Amino acid sequence: MTTGLTIKAEEGVTEALEELDERLVAFNKDRSDWNSQYFTVEIRDAEGALKGGAGGRVNLGVAEIRVLWLDEDLRGTGWGKRIVDAIADEGRRLGASKMLLDTYDFQARPFYESLGFIVFGTLDYPTGNSRYYLSRDL
């Protein structure tokens, strides 16, 4: 074992975390066709207020939905599907052939399944909640 090393945990997003992420991305790029392309889909009202949208990225031929939000008054009105369709369109434009996302049991699994997503993995948390990993072809 190497001597003189220390280990500690720090809360929050630190400079060290950002540097570690940069190192990991460099490692990934050396060994794959790693080329993350991030994008945002926004829904705004007539006054310009943000009402919903999503953050995504395309990497290794997969469009990942990283975050998706829709204000309560717009849920069930078709806007959620429009957001996912916009992510799919941008994903295709950027060369993706699949989509990937995760959602918790208290979030929107039935919604995503109604759009053709299939659960391929589940993580059950000690708190009694579950997290579902879903994908679909584009």
Side-chain angles (χ1 to χ4, degrees):
M1 182 173 197
T2 306
T3 59
L5 298 178
T6 61
I7 187 169
K8 69 176 180 174
E10 288 188 57
E11 289 186 22
V13 177
T14 65
E15 287 181 26
L17 177 59
E18 291 173 357
E19 182 179 336
L20 292 169
D21 185 62
E22 289 172 10
R23 290 180 187 185
L24 180 58
V25 168
F27 177 91
N28 294 345
K29 285 182 176 182
D30 285 345
R31 288 156 181 83
S32 70
D33 188 21
W34 195 271
N35 186 23
S36 293
Q37 296 173 277
Y38 292 88
F39 60 91
T40 305
V41 173
E42 299 177 1
I43 296 174
R44 293 187 178 271
D45 66 15
E47 289 77 41
L50 187 63
K51 300 292 288 177
R57 83 169 180 173
V58 170
N59 194 34
L60 300 173
V62 176
E64 302 175 19
I65 299 175
R66 309 284 292 202
V67 61
L68 190 149
W69 174 259
L70 191 59
D71 282 358
E72 189 81 31
D73 62 320
L74 295 179
R75 295 179 191 164
T77 64
W79 282 103
K81 181 183 182 316
R82 288 180 183 149
I83 292 170
V84 173
D85 288 346
I87 293 168
D89 291 343
E90 185 65 6
R92 278 188 211 93
R93 189 185 76 74
L94 295 172
S97 61
K98 292 188 175 291
M99 291 182 75
L100 169 70
L101 63 89
D102 65 86
T103 189
Y104 291 93
D105 55 355
F106 53 86
Q107 292 178 327
R109 178 182 169 187
F111 165 72
Y112 293 119
E113 289 177 322
S114 76
L115 298 177
F117 286 88
I118 297 171
V119 174
F120 67 86
T122 304
L123 177 65
D124 296 320
Y125 286 81
T127 59
N129 295 103
S130 295
R131 187 175 189 175
Y132 302 100
Y133 297 87
L134 298 92
S135 68
R136 81 169 201 204
D137 291 333
L138 284 179

